Amino acid sequence: MTTAQRRNSPFLDPGPVSTTDSLAILHLKRDLLMPTVLSELDEKCEGYDEGRVTNTRFGSFPHSTLIGLPWGSQVRASNVDTGSRGRRGPQQNKKRKRTDELAEDVAAAIEDNSGALAHKAPVVASTGFIHLLPPTPETWTASLPHRTQLVYTPDYSYILHRLRVRPGSVIIEAGAGSGSFSHASARAVFNGYPEPACEFGEIPPAKKKKAGKVWSYEFHEQRVGRLKEEIRKHSLEDVVEIVNSDVCEHGFLLEGKSPGQTRVSPQADAIFLDLPAPWLALRHLTRNAMPAALLNAAIASSKSQTPAPAPRNADEIHDESNLEANAIPAASFISPLNPNSSIRICTFSPCIEQVQRTVSTLRQLGWLEIEMVEIAHKRIEVRRERVGLHEEGVRGINASPATVNEAVERLKEVEGRFRLSRSAIVKQTTPSKPSPSDADPVKTEESDAITPQTADSANGTSTRKPFKEGRLIHRPEPELKTHTSYLLFALLPQEWTLEEEALARSKWPIKPRTTVSSKGDDDNVSPSPPKSKKQMKKAARLARLESLSSEAVTAASSPPREQSGGVVGAAAAATVEEVARQEPE
């Protein structure tokens, strides 16, 4: 794909504003997101006068009001006649003619590249709004269509951190599923788009950047087709490539693109396995050809909690006749791993029995630093808590008295209502007219009672700012998404031969630190261990104290005829005492 034909992915470079034919996320509320592709044309022929419209529980939003806005903008709903138009299929005779006419108009507008159909200008509604967000792996995970169990944000963020995935890395993902981890890893390995070819006279860049790549394997053919379509629509085909293969059976090698190549290695730096039986795929993740005896021992050890017996001797391990049909000969073996770096792996297993079998296989195949982690996701809600009776019924308000006076006024109000209802019952049961003296107390109590409307007018609701009132509190949400799956991490170190060790020692020789004796002779030289800055400062103070002490002894032993010696000796002794006082214990 050339630079002119390439289109930047909205997940990698969304730009400052929303554009036509780009993916956008409509934020309805915290746990309700809706992905949509912005388009002014009504390709679906729904028959709206405003063009393409997205209907939500908070109102209708024509796409003409969403295109060209900065990301994060709040968009008001519009008055759209939803009615029954566009809800009937083309098989009904009443709407067939209308649908055909709309389809012809849309096709004509697309053919003319104008896209300017005569749409009705949207009218802003009185209620309802949403927020327009750019697509990110986090928002896509919360809104994508579920085809399998998802790897949520708390899990894949920690996984990518532990796998040390960085721009330019190559990662293998086995078990793509719904594509949640594929989008997150694509953003992690993205190292910029390839630069265009240098024209005549231009200086090429000094160092070519390594392009990151995500090789995502999935055995289900229908899911592979949907994933490829999503990756193409999101313009991620340069970073993510979907492979339809069963890695437990056929491994991780790729089909060669050139005629002479049969199978090529992805040269992976990190591996993520989201498989029902990840221990079956581990036999393909080795640096060298593994004998069948060792592979059988690794697979057998995963079937029980006790390790399988190892091969009896080295001849049994390296015997070529002991290789099974699924064991690849050493001559034709190609490793899918990067030979120049250490490999980190993570498995995603919901059951502890799967973890036990995977750990046994990892140990048999030489993986190190095996560790299991469980992510407990807890989200903290931060808001202001307002306490009072004057806003009773409002969401987020603690409807309890804030002061004693407010509680007393509420009691008076309740008692006044009780007396009023009691007097109404008495009026219905007794035909005689009550005296004014009986009605005055009720009227007085009712007039003195403080209602929510009276409190609002007294406190000045029109001028105060409720969102700044109350205490700022934080508390965990009531429903916690804790366990999804167990994360198992391991490390496969880089191979290091004796030749490489000798070459490294010759290139970077080790120079041990030496200490010369205080007498100054070069023969008495002893190696000294490396010291920290604190130890070096302490050694310098001790050396200074030793030199001052020798000067004091020399001055004290000087002849009496040298009167200045006494003064020098006293000064040296004082200096030694001062240095010794500064020396820590």
Side-chain angles (χ1 to χ4, degrees):
M1 184 180 295
T2 61
T3 307
Q5 295 176 349
R6 187 186 63 237
R7 178 184 173 189
N8 292 349
S9 172
F11 285 85
L12 306 177
D13 184 17
V17 297
S18 59
T19 57
T20 307
D21 298 333
S22 65
L23 180 67
I25 305 295
L26 306 183
H27 183 276
L28 307 182
K29 59 180 185 177
R30 187 180 70 174
D31 296 327
L32 184 58
L33 306 177
M34 180 182 296
T36 183
V37 178
L38 302 180
S39 175
E40 293 184 357
L41 300 179
D42 190 6
E43 296 91 348
K44 296 183 179 180
C45 302
E46 295 179 344
Y48 293 114
D49 294 337
E50 293 81 4
R52 182 79 177 273
V53 177
T54 298
N55 297 312
T56 67
R57 59 185 296 184
F58 298 107
S60 300
F61 299 89
H63 286 201
S64 58
T65 62
L66 303 176
I67 297 175
L69 295 180
W71 297 114
S73 300
Q74 185 186 84
V75 185
R76 295 281 299 274
S78 300
N79 292 325
V80 177
D81 184 11
T82 56
S84 61
R85 67 180 64 183
R87 296 294 172 261
R88 299 180 182 179
Q91 68 276 6
Q92 300 194 18
N93 297 328
K94 293 184 179 180
K95 294 296 180 181
R96 178 176 298 175
K97 184 176 180 181
R98 172 65 174 166
T99 304
D100 295 342
E101 292 176 357
L102 285 174
E104 293 176 359
D105 294 342
V106 171
I110 295 175
E111 185 177 357
D112 296 340
N113 294 328
S114 61
L117 292 177
H119 294 317
K120 177 182 176 182
V123 180
V124 179
S126 58
T127 59
F129 65 89
I130 61 172
H131 288 88
L132 186 66
L133 301 180
T136 61
E138 291 77 17
T139 56
W140 178 249
T141 301
S143 60
L144 60 81
H146 289 210
R147 293 183 287 267
T148 57
Q149 182 183 2
L150 299 182
V151 182
Y152 288 96
T153 301
D155 290 320
Y156 68 63
S157 59
Y158 184 76
I159 291 171
L160 293 173
H161 167 69
R162 287 291 302 268
L163 294 181
R164 298 189 182 183
V165 178
R166 57 181 63 87
S169 300
V170 179
I171 183 172
I172 285 178
E173 177 196 9
S178 299
S180 170
F181 188 83
S182 302
H183 287 75
S185 55
R187 182 182 62 179
V189 305
F190 178 67
N191 198 21
Y193 291 106
E195 299 180 358
C198 298
E199 297 181 359
F200 181 75
E202 294 183 353
I203 301 176
K207 185 178 181 181
K208 186 178 180 180
K209 295 189 298 184
K210 182 183 177 182
K213 193 70 175 180
V214 178
W215 298 99
S216 185
Y217 295 80
E218 176 61 44
F219 80 97
H220 197 273
E221 188 174 357
Q222 294 182 354
R223 285 200 291 264
V224 168
R226 295 175 184 175
L227 277 172
K228 287 185 177 180
E229 184 66 19
E230 286 182 358
I231 295 299
R232 185 189 62 81
K233 290 181 178 179
H234 299 164
S235 301
L236 292 172
E237 59 270 16
D238 291 339
V239 184
V240 181
E241 186 164 343
I242 309 298
V243 181
N244 185 14
S245 175
D246 185 4
V247 296
C248 296
E249 183 69 23
H250 305 293
F252 298 89
L253 297 183
L254 307 169
E255 297 293 337
K257 296 183 179 180
S258 60
Q261 291 179 334
T262 55
R263 304 279 280 177
V264 296
S265 172
Q267 299 283 319
D269 303 315
I271 303 161
F272 174 67
L273 302 181
D274 186 5
L275 303 172
W279 57 89
L280 297 179
L282 292 176
R283 59 193 176 102
H284 302 285
L285 297 172
T286 58
R287 296 190 182 274
N288 302 308
M290 304 294 290
L294 187 58
L295 291 177
N296 293 337
I299 296 176
S301 65
S302 64
K303 295 181 181 179
S304 60
Q305 295 185 2
T306 58
R312 290 186 295 271
N313 49 38
D315 296 334
E316 183 180 355
I317 293 179
H318 298 285
D319 187 8
E320 291 293 337
S321 62
N322 198 24
L323 294 174
E324 294 183 348
N326 57 358
I328 303 175
S332 60
F333 177 80
I334 301 176
S335 175
L337 309 179
N338 186 358
N340 300 322
S341 65
S342 299
I343 309 301
R344 286 173 170 79
I345 190 173
C346 174
T347 63
F348 189 82
S349 303
C351 301
I352 194 65
E353 292 80 8
Q354 295 172 313
V355 176
Q356 292 175 347
R357 301 182 69 173
T358 307
V359 168
S360 299
T361 307
L362 288 172
R363 288 174 177 170
Q364 292 286 335
L365 296 178
W367 292 80
L368 306 177
E369 299 182 9
I370 302 174
E371 180 185 4
M372 189 192 73
V373 178
E374 181 183 9
I375 303 296
H377 179 211
K378 181 169 66 174
R379 186 161 47 187
I380 305 298
E381 180 185 8
V382 180
R383 60 182 178 87
R384 288 189 177 273
E385 184 182 43
R386 288 181 286 169
V387 181
L389 300 174
H390 58 282
E391 290 180 334
E392 187 176 3
V394 181
R395 184 179 179 183
I397 300 299
N398 187 357
S400 58
T403 60
V404 177
N405 294 333
E406 191 174 1
V408 172
E409 296 297 338
R410 174 52 64 91
L411 290 176
K412 291 182 179 180
E413 178 187 351
V414 173
E415 187 175 356
R417 290 178 181 176
F418 176 75
R419 291 183 180 181
L420 183 62
S421 60
R422 188 67 179 175
S423 61
I425 295 175
V426 171
K427 284 182 181 180
Q428 295 177 1
T429 54
T430 58
S432 58
K433 185 177 181 180
S435 59
S437 59
D438 297 336
D440 289 339
V442 177
K443 184 177 180 180
T444 304
E445 295 290 342
E446 185 68 21
S447 61
D448 294 340
I450 297 178
T451 62
Q453 293 80 7
T454 307
D456 290 342
S457 60
N459 295 334
T461 309
S462 58
T463 58
R464 67 188 182 90
K465 298 179 180 179
F467 60 88
K468 289 187 176 181
E469 297 179 357
R471 298 179 302 168
L472 189 64
I473 62 172
H474 62 280
R475 60 184 61 177
E477 59 181 358
E479 298 180 1
L480 301 180
K481 294 180 180 179
T482 54
H483 170 69
T484 55
S485 286
Y486 297 106
L487 306 179
L488 186 64
F489 297 94
L491 171 69
L492 186 63
Q494 180 182 356
E495 285 188 334
W496 193 251
T497 61
L498 296 177
E499 292 78 7
E500 292 174 340
E501 179 69 21
L503 181 61
R505 286 182 176 275
S506 62
K507 188 175 181 180
W508 297 286
I510 300 177
K511 297 180 180 180
R513 298 182 182 181
T514 57
T515 302
V516 183
S517 63
S518 58
K519 298 180 179 180
D521 51 346
D522 296 337
D523 297 334
N524 191 5
V525 177
S526 60
S528 63
K531 296 181 179 181
S532 62
K533 291 184 177 180
K534 185 176 181 180
Q535 292 175 339
M536 293 173 64
K537 290 181 180 180
K538 185 176 181 180
R541 285 195 298 267
L542 292 176
R544 184 185 175 191
L545 181 61
E546 184 179 356
S547 62
L548 291 176
S549 300
S550 61
E551 291 179 1
V553 172
T554 304
S557 61
S558 59
R561 56 185 178 83
E562 298 179 0
Q563 299 297 330
S564 59
V567 178
V568 174
T575 306
V576 171
E577 184 179 357
E578 181 181 358
V579 173
R581 192 183 304 111
Q582 294 177 359
E583 179 68 22
E585 295 180 0

